[in-house]
């Protein structure tokens, strides 16, 4: 029986000819990741292991990004714990404030992950790297810590859902709208324990930044991973960012899928997920009058160069609506610098937005934009659970950078067309 | 091994942000985390919960963030087992890895109500609702996971096997 793309990567990393859904395997890891929240728990756990040395100091990435730059004394202690562990074990890929960025934007940018590799990260959005044709998945701290020492992790081989993408999205429809549409269609557990495998002619019409956004939110449908085929765009991205070799895996023609959905990208509209689940999606046209207090443009989902360019195109020569607070967070230092060079930061500030150093901050209600009771935010982040960005009585509406920027101007959920764009 | 306690009941998609809100993740101390467990979905949980109690929920329990702090907070609050229709996959792994017993059982998740006294026999996978006098067969762990559970978590399993 044929294998899915994910199954082929897992088989190769488990030293097996073939695997099938449901099989338990131990796979070799190419990259193991943690941040300042999950890292200290992992470090504390691995202290109990007999073996203390890491499996490969070059294949571990430690990125303080959630509550960094340190938001308070306790967070400072966590960052210190990660920093000291990285130093003690001579970890090559530790990124201090000044070099760091939001982990899932940073690692591909630094070329630490390429097609065909297997990565686990103690962060649920580790599935982002599926955009590059890698198998990557989120785990907890103990799994991460054990992976860091042994270089291996156990997996139950997932079955898959196939998403055949066709057509070309219209100007203001991005990868974020695609994934919100899909989650709205299949639900927040629609791909539970499974792979989401994207394929079809439409993939060529999605930029790498679009694909990162889509793979990033596979977890929001409960998936183990989301994965894209490797094409010219993927190869160009990897050549630009990485000196590591890569391996291209393709799903077999007779691979078995639990379900297959065809989505014509040209029919999609700007989409918003209403509180308090990413599956509560509506098109912006259906949204009605939803007044907002805050806009966040950033995160591992949408803090990349194209996201900022889109937002700036809309905010250029426009003003943020009175009473709305707009927080723009470039995901990495390189993106931040590029945004300065392109004049985007100036555009944001002139419009009345603020621009922050890279951090996960508000996405998880950490800091840098916490909501009060009754407040509403349109956010390009990935979760809108109860209390996610602050008070339990606040609300988060998930959207693309284009919708977020248009909403910033009007003060209510809007799309660029409402500004004559 | 058995667990027995009073049931705290929840619905679908209980996410790790409500199990332990991120504003408390500047601590990783189990006792500290337990003080705020379930706060955003059930503010009285920490006052009500007694050692040995059981959480019963519907589908996709533990969805969202990979924070291991979530099962740690539940375990440290005194909960002896979580029964759900389904679990989100990262939570499932984390619970096993830290030694919080969890069982998937759609029928039990549907029928058991808040306040019921429930007993679970982990060796047989049987769930007994002593209040309703009903019983359910929960899904047994595959042998591989059973070994991790018998070792009381992944750390011990690796120490014993690698």
């Amino acid at each position: 029986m044929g294998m899915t793309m994910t199954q082929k990567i897992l088989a190769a990393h488990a030293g097996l000819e073939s695997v099938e859904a449901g099989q338990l395997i131990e796979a070799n890891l190419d990259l193991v990741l943690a941040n300042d929240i999950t890292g200290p728990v992992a470090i504390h756990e691995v202290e109990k292991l007999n073996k203390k040395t890491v499996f490969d100091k070059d294949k571990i990435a430690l990125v303080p990004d959630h509550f960094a730059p340190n938001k308070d004394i306790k967070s400072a202690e966590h960052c210190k714990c990660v920093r000291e562990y990285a130093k003690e074990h001579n970890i090559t890929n530790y990124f201090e404030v000044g070099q760091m960025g939001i982990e899932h934007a940073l690692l591909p940018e630094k070329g630490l992950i390429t097609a065909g590799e297997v990565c686990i990260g103690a962060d649920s959005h580790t599935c982002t790297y599926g955009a590059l044709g890698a198998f990557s998945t989120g785990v907890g701290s103990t799994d991460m810590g054990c992976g860091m020492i042994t270089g291996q992790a156990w997996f139950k081989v997932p079955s898959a859902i196939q998403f055949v993408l066709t057509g070309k999205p219209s100007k203001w429809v991005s990868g974020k709208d695609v994934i919100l549409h899909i989650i709205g269609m299949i639900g927040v557990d629609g791909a539970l324990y499974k792979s989401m495998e994207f394929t079809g002619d439409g993939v060529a019409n999605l930029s790498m930044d679009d694909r990162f956004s889509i793979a990033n939110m596979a977890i929001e449908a409960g998936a183990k991973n989301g994965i894209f085929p490797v094409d010219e765009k993927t190869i160009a991205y990897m050549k630009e960012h990485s000196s590591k070799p890569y391996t291209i895996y393709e799903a077999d023609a007779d691979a078995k899928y639990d379900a297959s959905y065809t989505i014509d990208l040209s029919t999609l509209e700007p989409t918003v997920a209403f509180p308090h689940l990413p599956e509560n999606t509506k098109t912006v046209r259906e949204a009605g009058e939803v007044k907002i207090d805050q806009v966040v443009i950033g995160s591992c989902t949408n803090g990349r160069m194209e996201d900022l360019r889109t937002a700036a195109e809309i905010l250029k020569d426009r003003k943020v609506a009175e009473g709305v607070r707009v927080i723009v967070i470039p995901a990495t230092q390189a993106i931040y610098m590029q945004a300065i060079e392109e004049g985007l930061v100036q555009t944001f500030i002139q419009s009345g937005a603020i621009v922050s150093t890279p951090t996960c901050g508000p996405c998880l209600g950490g800091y840098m934009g916490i909501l009060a009771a009754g407040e509403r935010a349109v956010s390009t982040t990935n979760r809108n659970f109860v209390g996610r960005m602050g008070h339990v009585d606040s609300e988060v509406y998930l959207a693309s950078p284009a919708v977020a920027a248009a909403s910033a101007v009007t003060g209510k959920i809007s799309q660029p067309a409402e500004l004559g764009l | 091994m058995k667990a027995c306690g009073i049931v705290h009941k929840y619905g679908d998609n209980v996410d790790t942000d409500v199990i332990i809100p991120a504003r408390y993740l500047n601590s990783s101390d189990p006792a500290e985390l337990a003080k705020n467990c379930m706060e955003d979905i059930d503010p009285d949980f920490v006052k009500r919960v007694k050692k040995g109690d059981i959480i019963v929920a519907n589908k996709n329990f533990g969805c969202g963030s990979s924070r291991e702090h979530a099962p740690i907070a539940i375990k440290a609050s005194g909960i002896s087992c979580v029964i759900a229709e389904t679990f989100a996959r990262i939570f499932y792994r984390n619970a096993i890895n830290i030694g919080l017993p969890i069982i998937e059982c759609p029928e039990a998740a549907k029928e058991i109500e808040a306040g019921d006294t429930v007993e679970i026999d982990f060796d047989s996978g049987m769930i007994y609702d002593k209040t309703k006098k009903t019983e359910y067969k929960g899904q047994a762990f595959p042998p591989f996971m059973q070994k991790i559970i018998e070792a009381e978590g992944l750390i011990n399993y690796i120490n014993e096997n690698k």
Side-chain angles (χ1 to χ4, degrees), chain A residues 86-97:
Chain A
K87 196 172 177 191
E88 185 189 339
H89 293 269
N90 204 17
I91 305 295
T92 313
N93 298 302
Y94 167 72
F95 298 95
E96 189 54 88
V97 171

Side-chain angles (χ1 to χ4, degrees), chain A residues 191-246:
Chain A
L192 193 59
Y193 305 126
K194 301 176 197 289
S195 302
M196 294 170 78
E197 296 211 347
F198 301 95
T199 185
D201 298 342
V203 171
N205 297 321
L206 296 170
S207 68
M208 287 312 297
D209 284 2
D210 284 326
R211 298 179 202 182
F212 283 124
S213 285
I214 293 170
N216 173 275
M217 286 186 72
I219 179 69
E220 266 35 270
K224 177 172 271 182
N225 68 314
I227 196 164
F228 277 86
V230 177
D231 66 5
E232 285 168 13
K233 284 183 182 171
T234 329
I235 291 168
Y237 182 94
M238 290 190 290
K239 283 191 173 156
E240 187 187 341
H241 291 276
S242 187
S243 55
K244 284 173 81 174
Y246 59 85

Side-chain angles (χ1 to χ4, degrees), chain A residues 26 48 50 67 72 74 123 137-143 152 154 188-189 193 364 383 385 388 392, chain B residues 13 15 17 22 25-26 40 59-60 64-66 68 87 89-90 93-94 97 104 144 154 158-159 162:
Chain A
E26 278 198 306
K48 300 176 202 161
N50 299 333
F67 293 167
D72 54 24
K74 285 178 172 179
D123 187 277
T137 193
V139 296
S141 294
T142 299
D143 271 325
Q152 290 189 317
W154 66 267
V188 292
D189 65 345
Y193 305 126
L364 74 162
R383 292 196 174 120
F385 300 149
R388 174 73 179 181
V392 289
Chain B
N13 305 313
D15 62 76
D17 276 276
L25 297 187
N26 56 7
D40 284 0
K59 64 172 188 168
N60 205 23
S65 154
S66 69
E68 203 159 291
F87 290 92
R89 58 162 287 276
I90 303 177
R93 289 182 80 107
N94 287 348
N97 286 343
E104 285 193 351
F144 175 79
L154 188 62
I158 287 176
N159 279 340
K162 303 240 173 185

Side-chain angles (χ1 to χ4, degrees), chain B residues 9-158:
Chain B
K9 184 83 189 270
Y10 302 98
D12 290 339
N13 305 313
V14 173
D15 62 76
T16 55
D17 276 276
V18 294
I19 295 171
I20 182 73
R23 58 185 177 275
Y24 301 117
L25 297 187
N26 56 7
S27 172
S28 52
D29 173 43
E32 193 70 26
L33 293 168
K35 285 182 196 167
N36 306 103
C37 188
M38 310 302 279
E39 182 176 295
D40 284 0
I41 192 176
D42 183 1
D44 294 330
F45 172 80
V46 292
K47 289 179 216 153
R48 223 169 53 232
V49 67
K50 292 193 176 57
K51 192 166 170 52
D53 280 1
I54 289 162
I55 287 178
V56 179
N58 294 337
K59 64 172 188 168
N60 205 23
F61 186 88
C63 63
S65 154
S66 69
R67 61 190 70 159
E68 203 159 291
H69 312 66
I72 290 171
I74 289 173
K75 190 180 176 191
S77 74
I79 290 292
S80 62
C81 181
V82 184
I83 301 168
E85 185 182 331
T86 53
F87 290 92
R89 58 162 287 276
I90 303 177
F91 184 93
Y92 189 93
R93 289 182 80 107
N94 287 348
I96 289 168
N97 286 343
I98 67 148
L100 170 69
I102 56 174
I103 295 190
E104 285 193 351
C105 183
E107 297 78 23
K110 193 176 159 200
E111 292 175 14
I112 294 173
E113 292 178 294
D116 289 1
T117 298
V118 164
E119 186 178 281
I120 299 140
D121 183 333
F122 294 108
D123 297 326
S124 64
M126 288 305 294
I127 300 164
Y128 304 97
D129 186 327
K130 294 181 148 182
T131 308
K132 291 194 169 52
K133 307 204 185 320
T134 50
E135 59 178 53
Y136 311 90
K137 179 87 175 89
Q139 195 189 42
F141 290 115
F144 175 79
M145 275 181 230
Q146 193 66 44
K147 281 184 200 164
I148 296 176
I149 291 160
E150 280 165 14
E152 292 180 18
L154 188 62
I155 297 284
N156 291 338
Y157 174 77
I158 287 176

